Amino acid sequence: MGVRIILDSTANFSNDLKEKFTIVPLTVNFGEESYADGVEIDNDTFYRKLVTSDVLPTTSQPTPDAFERVFKEVTDAGDEAVVITISSRLSGTYQSATIAAEEFAGKIFVVDGYTVAIGTGALGEYALRLAESGKSAAEIAEILEKEKANIRVYAVVDTLEYLKKGGRVSATAAFAGGLLNFKPVIAIADGVVQSITKGRGNKQANTLMNAEIEKSGAIDFSKPFVIGYTGEDSTLMQVYIADYIDMWGGDAEAIKPAQLGSVVGTHSGPGAVAVGYFVK
C-alpha cells in the first residue's frame, strides 16, 4: 500500500516536486470566465490576465465531489492518502475535503494546513519525506497536526494596488503609499493573512521582513525551506536571495523558488517575495 500526498492548487512548491503530488484544483474566476486552477490556466497566464483585467479575480473551493473522485482513484489503486489544504479560515476547501473523506475512513486523512501557498507547500514536501521514510498515512497526518504550528510564512508586497482592489486598503492609503513607495510586510498567522509593518522601498521592506523572521525563532533547516515570488518576473526574488543568501548557509543551489499562484497573486499582485519554513 502506497501513501499519496494530496494538495489543493493553492499550495506552491518548486517545480521539481510537481509530479510527486496529487493536486485538486480550485476554480479561478475572472468575472464570468472560470478556469480550473493549474489545469485550464497556468500561473503565467493568470498573471497576464491579472494585470490586464478590469475585474479582480476570485477563487472558489473544490466541491466534495471533486475530492471524492480523487479519493476513489487512490483507494481503488490500493493506496491511502494524506490531504493537506489551505487554512480553513481562508477557504471552505478543508470542509469539502473532510465531507468527501467520510466515505474513506481509515484510508484518507485530511489535515487543515492552517496556512497557504508556500506554507502548504512546505507541509506537503515534509509529508513526502515522511512517506518516503515508510510512515503510514495515519502517522503522517498525526505528525503534521503537530508540526503545522511550527510553519512560518512572511512576504513583502511590491504594490498596494491589488490590496486596494480587494478592499484591504483604502484608495487614499494606496495612493499615499504609492507616492512614498511603501511595501507592506505580511505574515500568515493564526490561519489568516496579517499585515505586520511596511518599509519604504524593497530594500527596507526586505530588511524588516528578515527582522520578523529572526524574531520568529530558529529556522529548522532539517525541514523544507521554500522561497517564492508572484508574477512572471522573478527579478525581485533574485535580488532578495543575493542580499540574504547567508541566512540559509550561503547555498544558492539549495534554494528552489516557487512561483506563487492565484490565491496570493490576486491580493498581492506581481512582484511579491515570500519565505516559508519551519521553526525548531
Side-chain angles (χ1 to χ4, degrees), residues 205-225:
N206 288 344
T207 299
L208 290 170
M209 178 170 71
N210 280 285
E212 295 296 328
I213 291 172
E214 289 177 353
K215 287 192 296 185
S216 73
I219 298 174
D220 188 348
F221 286 108
S222 70
K223 296 186 177 70
F225 178 98

Side-chain angles (χ1 to χ4, degrees), residues 182-256:
F182 281 145
K183 311 292 182 182
V185 179
I186 62 175
I188 307 299
D190 296 324
V192 296
V193 181
Q194 299 184 7
S195 178
I196 302 174
T197 184
K198 57 182 178 291
R200 290 191 68 172
N202 290 92
K203 185 79 172 180
Q204 185 184 63
N206 288 344
T207 299
L208 290 170
M209 178 170 71
N210 280 285
E212 295 296 328
I213 291 172
E214 289 177 353
K215 287 192 296 185
S216 73
I219 298 174
D220 188 348
F221 286 108
S222 70
K223 296 186 177 70
F225 178 98
V226 187
I227 185 168
Y229 64 98
T230 62
E232 296 182 83
D233 185 356
S234 64
T235 300
L236 290 175
M237 184 205 66
Q238 298 298 339
V239 170
Y240 176 79
I241 291 174
D243 285 345
Y244 295 98
I245 187 69
D246 288 343
M247 286 185 66
W248 313 303
D251 185 2
E253 295 298 321
I255 300 173
K256 298 177 180 179

Side-chain angles (χ1 to χ4, degrees), residues 157-165 169 173-178 182 184 268:
V157 177
D158 188 51
T159 174
L160 291 167
E161 180 64 23
Y162 295 89
L163 290 170
K164 180 195 76 175
K165 288 182 178 180
V169 299
F175 178 72
F182 281 145
S268 71

